[in-house]
Amino acid sequence: MRRSIGAAAGVVFLALFLFPSAASPVLYIDINAPGGKRMPLAVADFAVGPGDPSRSREIPKILSDDLALTDLFDLIPPTAHMETVTAAHFSGKPLSFPGWKMIGAEAVVIGKLEAQGDRVSIEMRLYDATQGTLLVGKRYTGTPTQLRSIVHRFANEIVYTFTGVRGVFGTEIAFTARSGTSKGKELYLVGMDGQEMRRVTDNRSFNLFPRWSPDGQWLAYTSYRTGVPAVYLRNISTGAEKEVVRFGGTKAPGGFSPDGVWLYAGVSEDGNSDIYRVRVVGGAAEKVVEGWGLEVSPSPSPDGRRIAFVSDRGGSPQVYVKTIGVAGEMRISNETGYATSPSWSPAGDRIAYTARSGGRFAVFTVAPDGSDPREVASAPDGDCEDPSFAPDGRSLVYTYRKRGYSALKIISSDGRRQRTLVSGLGNAGSPAWSPGR
């Protein structure tokens, strides 16, 4: 199920690497330092060749909006900029770095856009304004409809240059919601910046529990479109589908193994639900967790050696962790009477889950051994449910619900910052953040 990054974004990259950022991030910013230093950065209006001049500010705004979401940068407002970037700055003319430093910028991004027919070429450069040195430069070509994807790519380059951690721009969140007056639920995708939302299914049935394959090319989900539940794989680029779990009664996917070979799912047979892993190619199934109670919601660890899952074997739903192929499980939701929806962090050091707290549902994280539980998201007037980690582990997306209203929200993993991602759709839920691209 693997595909190239370029194919994933639909963008053609020209091989212009003006600075080897991928091999040598500068590491100006410590992302693990709460309240740490933000980098003062200016994104200049782009130089625009023949074409639409409005794009000179449209593209920098997309880039600035991306960087603002990270909480790592202080963006210098365009009204403070003292220098106008022209095409000459890409053919030998130096920037006036003292002028950029005068307005407080320690880094500067400049860009040039050229359009010809249905093709665009964008060159973007990141400079250290204090040293007057080029940190990273890239040139991309594509179509006008791919501009946002191209800018997301360079935003990721900026984040990596300063932190050593890949950015998450260009990733998407899959979720379910009611469409119009339909009683069913459809699958949707939305960019992590809240843009470019689109409906994936349109069968006016119940389509539930989307889960991403490791390459970000497929979604596993449960659909009732034939009248009985079945788990399907859907290619998000082509729309091609195939049924992957063909046995049992009620069934719901929980997650893929890191290599994409196995899909874990909770499957009920004879009134009892156990956890299986099913080969994506061939459909062979193996039972992984069983018991007299309810075993559901499997979430494989990033190294594929363990799974987190939910069981009511102790009288109420709780989160457990099991090493695959080894007898025994360990309960990790020890501070609550009700816990569901586990989700591993990409680093494997935390597990997020939903738990009852003060009469409401809240999002917690905990170490895989059950230590250090932390409440991340809660609301006095509603419930916070269904967490899913971003591919960099710095944020989670979750469902917020109150009577007659639902929304998807993104919150930093320390609970300090949050924003609304999607609102206005009926009964939105089950968000799943795509892998990095």
Side-chain angles (χ1 to χ4, degrees):
M1 285 192 200
R2 300 193 178 277
R3 61 175 178 171
S4 69
I5 289 177
V11 177
V12 177
F13 298 97
L14 293 185
L16 174 62
F17 300 96
L18 304 178
F19 186 86
S21 63
S24 51
V26 182
L27 303 180
Y28 286 79
I29 302 173
D30 182 0
I31 62 173
N32 297 312
K37 174 190 173 183
R38 294 184 183 183
M39 172 64 66
L41 183 144
V43 181
D45 287 351
F46 277 32
V48 177
D52 185 355
S54 68
R55 296 196 185 278
S56 68
R57 292 190 175 180
E58 174 191 355
I59 298 173
K61 184 179 186 308
I62 296 171
L63 184 59
S64 296
D65 288 347
D66 278 354
L67 298 177
L69 293 177
T70 67
D71 202 38
L72 298 174
F73 302 93
D74 278 327
L75 281 303
I76 308 296
T79 53
H81 298 181
M82 301 172 63
E83 182 176 18
T84 299
V85 174
T86 68
H89 288 106
F90 295 84
S91 57
K93 180 181 178 180
L95 284 174
S96 175
F97 292 110
W100 292 104
K101 289 190 291 183
M102 187 179 299
I103 64 173
E106 295 182 17
V108 182
V109 177
I110 67 171
K112 179 180 67 171
L113 170 68
E114 296 177 341
Q116 186 172 9
D118 63 350
R119 306 297 295 175
V120 294
S121 173
I122 304 177
E123 184 175 339
M124 289 176 275
R125 299 181 182 182
L126 170 67
Y127 287 93
D128 182 330
T130 62
Q131 301 293 325
T133 56
L134 178 69
L135 298 178
V136 61
K138 293 288 179 75
R139 183 182 294 147
Y140 308 88
T141 63
T143 67
T145 59
Q146 295 168 336
L147 279 177
R148 183 173 291 273
S149 295
I150 290 172
V151 176
H152 289 331
R153 292 285 171 180
F154 196 69
N156 287 335
E157 292 287 344
I158 294 173
V159 171
Y160 180 71
T161 297
F162 286 127
T163 69
V165 177
R166 295 293 179 189
V168 298
F169 304 112
T171 60
E172 296 180 296
I173 286 88
F175 66 99
T176 63
R178 183 171 294 130
S179 175
T181 59
S182 171
K183 293 183 179 180
K185 297 184 76 174
E186 304 290 355
L187 298 187
Y188 289 80
L189 293 176
V190 65
M192 60 78 62
D193 58 354
Q195 301 297 313
E196 300 181 328
M197 185 171 70
R198 63 192 188 276
R199 189 164 60 190
V200 176
T201 60
D202 188 17
N203 53 47
R204 300 186 181 184
S205 181
F206 285 93
N207 304 278
L208 309 169
F209 315 121
R211 297 293 185 267
W212 290 92
S213 62
D215 61 6
Q217 187 173 1
W218 298 82
L219 279 176
Y221 70 101
T222 297
S223 180
Y224 284 75
R225 64 181 183 240
T226 64
V228 295
V231 175
Y232 296 88
L233 289 181
R234 182 183 181 93
N235 186 293
I236 63 168
S237 298
T238 68
E241 289 197 340
K242 65 176 180 178
E243 188 176 353
V244 68
V245 181
R246 301 181 177 89
F247 62 95
T250 302
K251 52 185 76 75
F256 288 82
S257 61
D259 59 8
V261 172
W262 300 95
L263 174 65
Y264 289 80
V267 181
S268 67
E269 289 189 301
D270 301 322
N272 186 50
S273 179
D274 295 317
I275 292 172
Y276 293 79
R277 62 179 186 178
V278 180
R279 282 192 175 273
V280 172
V281 177
E286 299 177 3
K287 189 179 290 187
V288 179
V289 180
E290 61 181 323
W292 64 266
L294 183 75
E295 278 77 39
V296 293
S297 302
S299 176
S301 64
D303 63 7
R305 298 175 58 191
R306 295 174 288 177
I307 59 168
F309 65 96
V310 174
S311 175
D312 66 354
R313 64 186 63 181
S316 66
Q318 298 294 334
V319 178
Y320 294 79
V321 169
K322 175 183 176 62
T323 300
I324 297 172
V326 178
E329 300 90 24
M330 176 176 61
R331 175 175 159 177
I332 62 169
S333 54
N334 295 317
E335 305 298 324
T336 177
Y338 191 106
T340 62
S341 306
S343 173
W344 284 84
S345 69
D349 59 342
R350 306 292 293 178
I351 297 172
Y353 62 96
T354 303
R356 184 177 288 135
S357 174
R360 299 282 188 182
F361 286 103
V363 172
F364 289 77
T365 67
V366 67
D369 62 0
S371 65
D372 192 25
R374 306 171 192 169
E375 183 179 295
V376 176
S378 62
D381 60 346
D383 296 314
C384 302
E385 306 169 337
D386 308 327
S388 175
F389 274 99
D392 65 355
R394 298 187 64 231
S395 303
L396 301 102
V397 61
Y398 70 93
T399 305
Y400 167 71
R401 301 184 192 278
K402 64 180 180 180
R403 187 175 182 86
Y405 176 82
S406 63
L408 301 185
K409 296 194 174 189
I410 289 178
I411 192 166
S412 58
S413 56
D414 60 7
R416 293 162 59 94
R417 298 173 290 104
Q418 72 172 327
R419 61 185 171 92
T420 297
L421 178 72
V422 171
S423 63
L425 292 175
N427 200 21
S430 296
W433 207 313
S434 75
R437 293 178 177 171

